[in-house]
Amino acid sequence: MKIEDDIRNAVEVLRKGGIILYPTDTVWGIGCDATNAEAVKRVYEIKRRDDSKAMICLVDSSNRIQRYVRNVPEVAWDIFDLATKPTTIILDGATGLAPNLIAEDGSIALRVTQEEFSKQLCYRFQKALVSTSANISGEPAAQNYRDISEEILNAVDYVCWARRQEHKPHTPSSIIKLSPAGEVKIIRE
């Protein structure tokens, strides 16, 4: 399948409130429209995860961050621009996202993907995309397509074709929490 067709199919499912499996700049992810509370609820159910545990969202560019965070600390732009590996930033003042995706303290975890497929997917979808590891909560993250359990594969509405043959190590992103004043706290290196 051509990448364009794969992305078109995934976006169509996302726009209908569906759940997809897709390769990201880190591990394989379960994704949905980050503004759709019902879709987000389904992702929590698929992962068997408590909805008090926030999930990461992917966007295609740092410009899109401003759509989902009221006041982005200046240092966030530097981190997004200078990061040498996938880096997720937890920012306060989340807005415009599904309420069940926003942490109890009002924050949201966002990452600008640089990987070709997920970047194009986010760009074509034109919204933030939930990106949580394709596994049941507490189990190892699916580094490659072949690591995804049958249970997860059967629970989603569309499985992307891109990078299914790939077999190489992938690791989750670094996670940094920024306070509104720009104080940096490293959550995961």
Side-chain angles (χ1 to χ4, degrees):
M1 177 179 291
K2 290 183 187 175
I3 287 179
E4 300 82 36
D5 295 334
D6 201 12
I7 289 172
R8 187 178 317 112
N9 292 342
V11 167
E12 188 176 310
V13 168
L14 292 166
R15 287 195 176 128
K16 292 178 180 173
I19 311 299
I20 65 168
L21 280 175
Y22 66 109
T24 75
D25 53 341
T26 59
V27 297
W28 268 73
I30 300 173
C32 73
D33 177 350
T35 67
N36 182 326
E38 281 302 310
V40 170
K41 180 180 175 206
R42 269 190 67 206
V43 172
Y44 280 119
E45 290 168 355
I46 289 168
K47 286 188 66 77
R48 291 193 227 146
R49 184 174 180 173
D50 183 12
D51 69 3
S52 66
K53 291 189 174 188
M55 294 187 284
I56 293 170
C57 294
L58 284 189
V59 292
D60 63 313
S61 71
S62 56
N63 293 341
R64 205 166 308 273
I65 299 289
Q66 291 174 302
R67 184 185 290 182
Y68 303 112
V69 177
R70 286 185 189 92
N71 296 305
V72 180
E74 203 57 41
V75 69
W77 304 117
D78 294 332
I79 293 169
F80 283 125
D81 290 342
L82 300 173
T84 56
K85 68 178 240 178
T87 302
T88 300
I89 302 180
I90 301 170
L91 297 162
D92 289 331
T95 186
L97 295 163
N100 54 344
L101 189 58
I102 299 170
E104 290 177 6
D105 66 359
S107 66
I108 190 67
L110 293 165
R111 184 169 74 247
V112 178
T113 181
Q114 299 302 327
E115 184 270 336
E116 181 184 350
F117 185 84
S118 56
K119 188 175 188 81
Q120 279 300 313
L121 179 61
C122 289
Y123 175 75
R124 297 263 176 84
F125 188 52
Q126 292 287 299
K127 292 185 193 177
L129 190 60
V130 166
S131 182
T132 184
S133 56
N135 61 308
I136 301 298
S137 198
E139 293 181 1
Q143 293 184 36
N144 297 283
Y145 172 76
R146 72 185 209 174
D147 302 324
I148 303 170
S149 72
E150 282 295 316
E151 181 179 351
I152 296 288
L153 288 167
N154 293 330
V156 301
D157 303 306
Y158 183 76
V159 181
C160 292
W161 288 91
R163 293 177 39 206
R164 282 194 190 185
Q165 302 305 317
E166 186 176 88
H167 182 67
K168 62 183 189 179
H170 294 279
T171 55
S173 68
S174 297
I175 300 177
I176 297 171
K177 181 163 178 54
L178 287 183
S179 74
E183 296 159 349
V184 177
K185 179 180 180 185
I186 296 172
I187 306 294
R188 179 171 71 199
E189 286 195 49

